[in-house]
Amino acid sequence: MSNHKDLQKLTAAGLLISLGIIYGDIGTSPLYVFKAIVGDRTISETLILGGVSLIFWTLTLQTTLKYVVITLRADNKGEGGIFSLFSLVRRRAKWLIVPAVIGGCALLADGIITPPITISSAIEGLQTSFPHLQTMPIVIAIIIFLFIIQQFGTSLVGKAFGPMMFIWFTMMGVLGITFIIQSPTIFKALNPYYALKLLTSHAPGAHPLVIIGAVFLCTTGAEALYSDLGHCGRKNIQISWIYVKTCLVLNYLGQSVWLLQHAGTKMDLNLNNPFYKIMPQWFLIYGIGIATVAAVIASQALISGSFTLIAEAVRLNLWPKVRINYPSEQKGQLYVPSVNWLLCAGCVGVVLLFKESARMEAAYGLSITVAMLMTTLLVANFLRRKKLPTYIVGIFLVVYLLIEGTFLTGNLVKFVNGGWFTLSVGLVLFTIMWAWHTARRIRNRYVKFIEIEDYFSILKELSDDETVPKYSSQLVYLTSANFNSEVESKIIYSILQKQPKRADVYWLVHVDVVDEPYKKEYEVDFLVPNKLIRIDFKLGFRVEQQINLLFRKVVEDLVKKGEVDITSTYKSLNRHKIVGDFRFVVIEKVLSRSHNLSFYESFIMAFYKILKKISLSEERGFGLDLSFVTVEKVPLMLAAPETVEIHRVN
C-alpha cells in the first residue's frame, strides 16, 4: 500500500523502477522527434540548431518545471494521475469534473496511438539495412502479442523493465557523445536564441506552428511522471529524471551533429533515421533490438496506465462497470479485459490506417496536449487549495496555458493529416463518460428517500411473525442513502410489499468512495438491536470493491466481539450452532416513461440504457456471490405521481 511518507524515500530499487515504469514513453521520443521536425524539408543549420534548442527548452519548461518540480507535489496520499488529482480538488467546484473527464479521455486516446508509433519507429530501423522490408506485419504481430500477455500479469517481466531502460538510456547517451565529440560546438544549440531564430526565420516549409507541433512530441510522456507517482515516489522520479534528461539531450545533440553534416540535402528520414545513423554499423542490429524492447516497455507502461485509469473511473462513477481482474498480488497490477481488447483493436487499426510512423506523427500529440491543459487547470486549483498566493497561482496558470495553448495550436495544424483520429477517439470516450456520469445524476434526482425510523417497529414485527415464511436468516440490501436516518423507499417496498421478506436480521450496506486512494474503513450502526444493522464502508477510489468479502469480514469481527449472533434460529440448526444463511438483494431501477425530461436528458438516458446493457451488473460489479443474490427490478418513476390527473365520470 502506498504511504505518504514513501514520497520522501530514495532507493536504488525505486530509481530503477522509475526508469522502467515512468520514463518509457518520453524515453523513446528520440526515435521520431527529429524525423518530425525535419520532415521533407531541406536540412539547414537554422532548422537543426533551432530544433534541438526547442527540444531542450520544452523538456525544461514542460517536463522538468511543470511536472517534476510542481505537479508531483500534487499527490493524493502518495498517488498521482488526473483522477487522483480530481479527487483532491472536486469539493472546490463542481465544474472541475469537466477537465477531469476530458483529460482522462485524452490519456486513454493517447494509449491507442503510442504503442503503434513507438514500436513502428523501432522496427523501421531495420529498413536502414533492408530498405524493402515490410515492417507493418512485424509491428502488428508485436502489438497483438503484447496485448495477449496482459491477462497473465506483468509482475515477473516488470522486474526487468528498470535494468532494460537503464541500458536504453545509457546507450542513447553514449551514442550521442560519440557524435558530440566530433563537433563540441553543438552545445551552443542549447541557447534559446536559436529556438527564437527558427520560429521567426520564416524559412520555406518551416511554419512556426508546424515546428512547434513536431517539437511537442519530445514531451508527450510527461503525464506518465505524474500518473505513476504512487509506484515510485516523488524523490525517485525527480532524481532519475536528471539522468534521463541528460541522456535524452545528449542523444538529441548527437543526432543534430549528424544532420548538420548533411546540411543542404533533402532525404527520406524513414530510411535515414538520424537515431540509427549515429550508431556504428556493427552495433545497428543490437541497437534496433534494444530500441524494440524499449518501445514495448513504453507501450506496456501506457497500457497498464489505461487499466488503472478505467478502474478509477469506474469507482468514481465516471465509466460503466466493467470486469477488473487482478492477475498478481503486486500493488497496482490489474487487468481490464474489455479495455485491453479495445486498445488492441485500436492499435492494430492505427497501424493499418497510417502504415508507417511518419504518418502516425500527425495523429500523435494532439490528445496528450489536451490532457496536459486539463492537468494545468486541476493543478492550479490544487495550488489554491494549498493556499499559495494568488499571484503565484495566476503566473503558473498563465504561463502554462500559454505554452500548452501554443502546442495545441501547433498540433491542430496536423488535424487533417491524422489529428482527427485521436480527437475522434477522445470524443467517443468523453461521450461515454459524460453520459454515464450525467445519467446517474438524473436518476438520483428521482430516488425517493424516507425516514427509516418510521419502519423500525413494523420491521421488528415482521421478523418475529412466524405466519410469514422466512425469506432468509440474514437479509442484506445495498443502499445509496448517505445518512443512516434514511433509506430508499424501494427497499422498504421490497421488504414489506413486493414479497414480504421475513428475516432474523436486516442489514443495510452503504459504500462511500472517498478521496484517499487506499482507505479501508467501516462503521456499524445498530438501528434496531439484533434486527436492523447498517454498515458504512469508506473505500478509496483505488480499492477493489469486493463487498461480499468485506461484508463477511465485518460480520466475523462483530461475531467475535459478541455484538451480533448469526446462529440460525431454526430449532434443528440452532441446537448444533449452525450459522444462518445470508442473502443479498440488489434492486435494479428500471426507467419508466417520462414526460418531464428535456431532449438532452432524454438522449442521455437513452444512451445510458444502452451502456447499462453492455456493462457489468451491479451484483457482479460489487463482487457479490451470485448464488446468494436476488435481483429485483423496480420502476424508477421519472414523473412525479402528483402531476398525473384523471377524472371519474360515473
Side-chain angles (χ1 to χ4, degrees), residues 476-480 488 491 509 547 584-586 618 622 624:
V476 188
Y477 281 86
L478 297 176
T479 176
S480 60
E488 295 96 321
I491 291 180
V509 175
I547 302 304
F584 282 83
V585 177
V586 175
E618 290 286 328
F622 282 116
L624 301 180

Side-chain angles (χ1 to χ4, degrees), residues 305-336:
S306 298
F307 293 160
T308 301
L309 201 68
I310 285 293
E312 291 179 0
V314 168
R315 289 161 195 156
L316 291 169
N317 288 322
L318 296 174
W319 189 265
K321 290 185 182 296
V322 292
R323 186 156 62 92
I324 301 173
N325 298 338
Y326 296 82
S328 73
E329 295 181 359
Q330 184 177 339
K331 175 180 173 288
Q333 279 285 307
L334 50 84
Y335 169 67
V336 186

Side-chain angles (χ1 to χ4, degrees), residues 248-366:
L248 286 173
V249 172
L250 288 173
N251 192 266
Y252 281 123
L253 288 170
Q255 289 187 49
S256 65
V257 171
W258 183 87
L259 286 164
L260 286 173
Q261 291 173 354
H262 296 80
T265 63
K266 182 185 290 188
M267 63 177 67
D268 184 353
L269 291 189
N270 285 329
L271 301 178
N272 298 281
N273 189 334
F275 179 82
Y276 291 113
K277 284 298 181 180
I278 64 174
M279 291 182 181
Q281 190 63 33
W282 64 267
F283 183 74
L284 186 60
I285 191 65
Y286 302 105
I288 293 171
I290 295 171
T292 302
V293 172
V296 169
I297 290 174
S299 302
Q300 173 61 54
L302 209 68
I303 293 167
S304 299
S306 298
F307 293 160
T308 301
L309 201 68
I310 285 293
E312 291 179 0
V314 168
R315 289 161 195 156
L316 291 169
N317 288 322
L318 296 174
W319 189 265
K321 290 185 182 296
V322 292
R323 186 156 62 92
I324 301 173
N325 298 338
Y326 296 82
S328 73
E329 295 181 359
Q330 184 177 339
K331 175 180 173 288
Q333 279 285 307
L334 50 84
Y335 169 67
V336 186
S338 57
V339 175
N340 184 70
W341 298 117
L342 282 173
L343 285 176
C344 181
C347 289
V348 172
V350 167
V351 177
L352 293 174
L353 179 64
F354 295 101
K355 295 183 173 57
E356 58 186 36
S357 62
R359 295 178 182 175
M360 295 176 197
E361 288 158 10
Y364 196 40
L366 189 52

Side-chain angles (χ1 to χ4, degrees), residues 162-204:
M164 284 305 304
M165 292 307 290
F166 176 75
I167 292 172
W168 165 252
F169 286 114
T170 303
M171 180 194 80
M172 285 199 297
V174 171
L175 289 174
I177 290 172
T178 60
F179 265 75
I180 291 172
I181 58 178
Q182 298 177 26
S183 180
T185 57
I186 192 63
F187 279 106
K188 69 181 181 180
L190 302 185
N191 189 331
Y193 161 78
Y194 293 98
L196 295 172
K197 183 180 178 181
L198 173 60
L199 295 178
T200 57
S201 66
H202 305 295

Side-chain angles (χ1 to χ4, degrees), residues 438-456:
T438 306
R440 290 185 66 89
R441 287 177 56 193
I442 294 172
R443 291 176 69 223
N444 290 340
R445 285 207 316 252
Y446 297 96
V447 174
K448 183 181 178 183
F449 294 97
I450 55 178
E451 293 292 327
I452 194 170
E453 187 177 359
D454 297 340
Y455 295 88
F456 283 174

Side-chain angles (χ1 to χ4, degrees), residues 2 96 119 160 186 196 227 373 441 449 474 514 564 617 644 647:
S2 180
L96 291 175
I119 295 174
I186 192 63
L196 295 172
S227 298
L373 276 165
R441 287 177 56 193
F449 294 97
Q474 311 287 327
V514 298
V564 296
S617 63
V644 179
H647 301 282

Side-chain angles (χ1 to χ4, degrees), residues 109-128:
D110 184 55
I112 291 178
I113 192 69
T114 296
I117 192 173
T118 52
I119 295 174
S120 293
S121 297
I123 296 299
E124 284 167 7
L126 292 169
Q127 291 180 328
T128 56

